[in-house]
Amino acid sequence: MIFQREVLDDLADDLLLRAKMPASWGIVIMILLVYRWTQGEVVSGNGDAWYECLGLSREGMSDGGYWQIFSHGLLHGSWAHLSVNAVLIWLLGTRMERMLGWRAMLGVTCLGMIAGGLMHLLLGHGLLVGISGGVMALLLCLATLSPDARVLPLGISAKNLGRGILVGELILTLADPALGIPIISSIGAMLVDHGYASVFQLGHACHLGGGLMGVIIAQRWRAPRLTLEMLRLQREMRECDSKR
């Protein structure tokens, strides 16, 4: 009974702390409001035009729609798509915001969204919508910063989870039959023939780009900072070498 009470108290404290993370809540509220607006436009018959204008595609970028590299993250194709990303932003974003502050959280999310969009333009196809690139950046950044943390309920380390996700997204990106890559695309074609075409309707290239950006950011943060003390020690070592 005492153990259960302690668990509930810890859970309550965690929820209270997460409730005080403004950047994460701001993103969640924003994508919810945008989704509600787009659904209203769909009902009025203008939905396709707005999705083509704000979603990310090679055609849109070539026509000068450079805002799409940002705006695609605010759109979502369905309530399920929106719900998954909103929950993950809340879980991962609030954690990073507690660790490193709201600026870091927004920076990782935005850079991941951009990187995911660029990777989609390079290896993906069709219209891209959703903040999945930012979500993947948060996930892989946290996994890289805390590689030995255990991920519940899976019971594996964050490092292994991150590696597994990146490898999986790379394989699924390259296996897309639309790319026509020898051998590996045949695997994708086999999945399509067996009724798994929906696998390639997800933005795997976007996930890959966002995840890689998260790893890069985390590794940069983990690298030793160049301080005045380090500079002084380096100068003294050079002076000692010159006197020999």
Side-chain angles (χ1 to χ4, degrees):
M1 187 69 179
I2 296 177
F3 175 75
Q4 292 180 346
R5 185 177 302 171
E6 290 177 351
V7 171
L8 291 175
D9 290 342
D10 291 342
L11 180 60
D13 291 340
D14 181 69
L15 292 175
L16 183 61
L17 287 172
R18 290 180 186 273
K20 298 177 181 179
M21 302 294 116
S24 303
W25 281 107
I27 293 177
V28 170
I29 292 171
M30 184 181 299
I31 61 177
L32 286 171
L33 291 176
V34 170
Y35 182 75
R36 180 168 182 175
W37 167 72
T38 54
Q39 292 311 293
E41 293 299 315
V42 168
V43 172
S44 64
N46 300 321
D48 290 344
W50 279 112
Y51 273 96
E52 291 177 4
C53 177
L54 299 177
L56 180 63
S57 65
R58 293 191 183 95
E59 296 77 13
M61 292 289 285
S62 63
D63 290 340
Y66 303 119
W67 60 82
Q68 293 181 355
I69 201 69
F70 301 99
S71 61
H72 78 274
L74 301 178
L75 301 177
H76 288 83
S78 67
W79 175 249
H81 185 202
L82 171 70
S83 299
V84 170
N85 279 343
V87 169
L88 289 175
I89 283 287
W90 181 75
L91 289 173
L92 301 171
T94 52
R95 179 173 173 79
M96 176 163 288
E97 205 169 342
R98 286 171 57 185
M99 291 173 56
L100 300 169
W102 65 269
R103 291 183 180 86
M105 183 270 172
L106 287 179
V108 171
T109 304
C110 291
L111 289 175
M113 190 169 60
I114 294 171
L118 293 175
M119 189 67 77
H120 174 78
L121 293 175
L122 179 64
L123 295 175
H125 60 88
L127 189 71
L128 177 68
V129 296
I131 201 170
S132 301
V135 169
M136 289 296 294
L138 288 171
L139 175 59
L140 269 295
C141 186
L142 288 169
T144 306
L145 289 173
S146 303
D148 297 325
R150 309 305 292 183
V151 180
L152 298 175
L154 301 177
I156 62 176
S157 67
K159 177 176 65 177
N160 290 334
L161 175 65
R163 289 175 177 175
I165 290 174
L166 283 181
V167 171
E169 292 297 345
L170 175 61
I171 293 173
L172 289 172
T173 296
L174 299 179
D176 192 333
L179 292 180
I181 299 176
I183 301 177
I184 192 169
S185 286
S186 63
I187 299 175
M190 182 176 63
L191 289 174
V192 173
D193 292 341
H194 284 78
Y196 296 101
S198 59
V199 170
F200 299 106
Q201 294 176 1
L202 301 176
H204 296 296
C206 172
H207 298 166
L208 177 63
L212 289 174
M213 178 57 70
V215 172
I216 291 171
I217 293 172
Q219 289 180 341
R220 184 176 179 84
W221 283 344
R222 292 180 65 186
R225 301 298 178 89
L226 191 63
T227 63
L228 291 176
E229 181 65 16
M230 293 172 61
L231 290 173
R232 184 184 65 80
L233 291 174
Q234 291 176 6
R235 184 185 63 188
E236 290 178 356
M237 292 176 63
R238 289 195 299 269
E239 290 175 352
C240 290
D241 291 339
S242 64
K243 292 177 180 179
R244 291 178 181 177

